[in-house]
């Protein structure tokens, strides 16, 4: 049956009035009953179809809500892991900061933070040596260059000796860098897990939005189901009213037939009595009169 977009829901009284019930002929009422029955069946089928569609939409709504809940649980689990890694990262960063502060204190104690570091000194020495080897210099300029190279070498050696004499500094630097590297790993985990949590959050929102849309469709279909069911009930009630009126008419006709039969029997009895009286008086009866007497039980 094709879906009907509009149904006018009427009460049984609107479908057939009391005046129509009383005044329409039996044939007209039988026709009406058939129409109400067929329309009722048609509307019941439509209501059933709409109920099935509503149930399907409600089931889909539940699926969307369940999916949203799954994304919510996954998101919350990931966020918990984010907080765990974030806590570890912060602890490691704090520890690394303490170690680097210790390194700076040790450098200050050794005066290693003054002037240039070993790499810078090494590069400067190499540049000066290259200049000595490749450029043509006066004796005075070459002497000054050699003295400068020696000063840089002495400075380099002095700093290197100080570092060599303090292995604790290297250990602190190495430890601080290791702790910082470990903190970076946890930071990467924080970023990765937070990204995954956000994706599940977005999917959760989308699933809830879809559930709301489908729920609206289900509610609309339920309204249409109620509309069709109420119309079917009204047609059924009208059908019942007509059937009741038809039974009343059948009963009335039966009573009329019964009265008519009783009248015929009474007339036959009276006629038989009259014939019987004539018979007793000696009147000759014809065959028809005799038959009537026999039928009445007088002979």
């Amino acid at each position: 049956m094709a879906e009907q977009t509009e149904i006018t829901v009427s009460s049984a009284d609107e479908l057939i009035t009391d005046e129509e019930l009383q005044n329409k002929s039996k044939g007209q009422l039988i026709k009406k009953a058939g129409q109400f029955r067929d329309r009722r069946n048609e509307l019941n089928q439509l209501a059933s179809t709409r109920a099935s569609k509503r149930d399907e939409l409600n089931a889909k709504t539940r699926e969307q809500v369940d999916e949203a809940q799954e994304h919510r649980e996954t998101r919350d689990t990931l966020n918990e892991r984010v907080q765990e890694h974030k806590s570890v990262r912060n602890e490691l960063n704090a520890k690394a900061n303490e170690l680097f502060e210790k390194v700076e204190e040790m450098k200050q104690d050794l005066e290693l933070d003054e002037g240039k570091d070993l790499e810078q000194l090494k590069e400067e020495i190499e540049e000066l040596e290259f200049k000595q080897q490749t450029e043509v210099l006066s004796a005075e300029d070459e002497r000054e260059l050699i003295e400068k190279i020696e000063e840089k070498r002495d400075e380099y050696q002095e700093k290197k000796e100080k570092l060599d004499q303090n292995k604790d500094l290297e250990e602190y630097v190495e430890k601080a860098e290791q702790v910082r590297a470990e903190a970076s790993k946890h930071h990467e985990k924080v970023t990765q897990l937070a990204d995954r949590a956000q994706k599940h959050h977005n999917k959760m929102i989308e699933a809830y939005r879809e559930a709301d849309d489908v729920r609206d469709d289900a509610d609309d279909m339920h309204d249409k189901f109620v509309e069709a069911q109420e119309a079917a009930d009204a047609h059924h009630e009208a059908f019942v009213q007509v059937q009741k009126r038809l039974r009343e008419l059948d009963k009335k006709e039966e009573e009329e037939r019964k009265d008519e039969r009783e009248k015929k029997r009474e007339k036959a009895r009276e006629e038989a009595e009259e014939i019987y009286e004539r018979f007793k008086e000696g009147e000759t009866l014809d065959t028809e009169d005799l038959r009537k007497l026999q039928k009445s039980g007088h002979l």
Side-chain angles (χ1 to χ4, degrees):
M1 181 177 64
E3 175 65 273
Q4 297 185 15
T5 56
E6 292 186 7
I7 297 175
T8 301
V9 179
S10 303
S11 67
D13 292 340
E14 292 173 329
L15 291 171
I16 185 165
T17 64
D18 289 338
E19 183 180 356
E20 288 176 316
L21 282 171
Q22 296 301 321
N23 296 333
K24 283 187 178 295
S25 67
K26 186 176 180 180
Q28 290 174 321
L29 289 174
I30 291 174
K31 182 178 179 181
K32 273 288 185 182
Q35 291 173 344
F36 290 145
R37 181 198 60 225
D38 293 344
R39 183 57 176 158
R40 176 202 64 191
N41 294 343
E42 180 183 1
L43 288 166
N44 274 330
Q45 181 59 45
L46 179 61
S48 177
T49 299
R50 289 178 173 180
S52 296
K53 290 181 179 178
R54 176 204 60 196
D55 294 343
E56 290 175 5
L57 291 168
N58 280 330
K60 186 176 180 182
T61 299
R62 287 191 292 272
E63 290 176 4
Q64 291 295 325
V65 171
D66 289 343
E67 181 181 339
Q69 285 295 102
E70 289 177 3
H71 286 301
R72 178 193 291 275
E73 291 172 4
T74 302
R75 179 204 64 183
D76 292 346
T77 299
L78 289 168
N79 280 332
E80 288 176 4
R81 293 177 62 190
V82 165
Q83 293 304 317
E84 291 171 1
H85 283 284
K86 186 179 290 186
S87 178
V88 174
R89 178 201 64 187
N90 293 343
E91 291 176 4
L92 290 171
N93 277 329
K95 185 176 180 180
N97 290 338
E98 291 177 2
L99 290 170
F100 278 118
E101 287 176 4
K102 182 64 176 177
V103 167
E104 290 303 316
E105 291 175 2
M106 294 174 69
K107 282 184 176 182
Q108 289 176 4
D109 291 342
L110 295 172
E111 298 180 348
L112 294 176
D113 57 339
E114 297 178 1
K116 300 174 181 177
D117 60 28
L118 293 178
E119 282 298 319
Q120 288 177 316
L121 289 171
K122 187 176 180 181
E123 289 179 3
E124 290 181 1
I125 292 170
E126 289 175 352
E127 289 176 1
L128 293 173
E129 288 177 342
F130 182 77
K131 182 177 182 180
Q132 181 189 13
Q133 294 170 7
T134 58
E135 294 184 12
V136 178
L137 303 171
S138 64
E140 181 64 22
D141 289 339
E142 187 168 2
R143 183 181 61 78
E144 289 178 359
L145 183 57
I146 291 172
E147 288 178 357
K148 195 170 184 180
I149 290 173
E150 290 300 323
E151 289 174 1
K152 293 289 183 183
R153 283 176 179 171
D154 291 341
E155 185 181 355
Y156 177 86
Q157 189 62 33
E158 183 181 356
K159 282 203 170 189
K160 188 173 184 305
E161 288 175 358
K162 284 184 178 181
L163 287 173
D164 290 341
Q165 290 171 3
N166 196 326
K167 296 297 182 182
D168 288 344
L169 180 60
E170 293 181 6
E171 291 177 2
Y172 271 102
V173 171
E174 183 178 356
K175 181 63 176 176
E177 290 176 347
Q178 288 176 350
V179 174
R180 185 74 81 195
E182 188 66 21
S184 296
K185 291 180 181 179
H186 283 280
H187 179 70
E188 289 178 4
K189 291 296 293 184
V190 167
T191 302
Q192 293 171 1
L193 292 170
D195 287 343
R196 288 174 57 191
Q198 185 61 44
K199 288 179 182 178
H200 282 282
H201 176 75
N202 294 340
K203 289 180 180 179
M204 178 197 72
I205 296 299
E206 181 61 29
Y208 275 131
R209 185 180 295 112
E210 179 67 20
D212 289 339
D213 292 341
V214 177
R215 186 183 291 107
D216 289 342
D217 292 340
D219 291 342
D220 181 61
M221 188 55 65
H222 177 71
D223 291 341
K224 290 183 177 180
F225 155 74
V226 171
E227 180 185 49
Q229 191 62 62
E230 288 179 350
D233 292 344
H235 281 78
H236 176 70
E237 180 61 26
F239 170 75
V240 170
Q241 289 179 2
V242 173
Q243 288 292 93
K244 181 180 178 182
R245 177 57 179 161
L246 286 171
R247 285 194 296 272
E248 291 174 354
L249 291 175
D250 287 341
K251 184 178 179 181
K252 182 179 179 181
E253 289 178 355
E254 179 60 28
E255 289 175 350
E256 289 176 350
R257 286 194 293 270
K258 184 178 179 181
D259 290 343
E260 185 64 26
R261 288 194 298 271
E262 184 61 30
K263 289 178 180 179
K264 287 182 179 179
R265 282 195 295 270
E266 181 63 26
K267 182 178 180 181
R269 281 195 299 271
E270 292 176 355
E271 188 176 4
E273 287 290 336
E274 181 185 348
I275 296 172
Y276 185 65
E277 289 297 323
R278 285 163 47 205
F279 174 71
K280 286 192 299 180
E281 291 175 0
E283 184 178 330
T284 303
L285 303 179
D286 59 20
T287 303
E288 180 62 21
D289 290 337
L290 290 173
R291 186 185 67 76
K292 288 180 180 179
L293 286 176
Q294 287 177 338
K295 188 175 180 181
S296 66
H298 286 77
L299 292 180

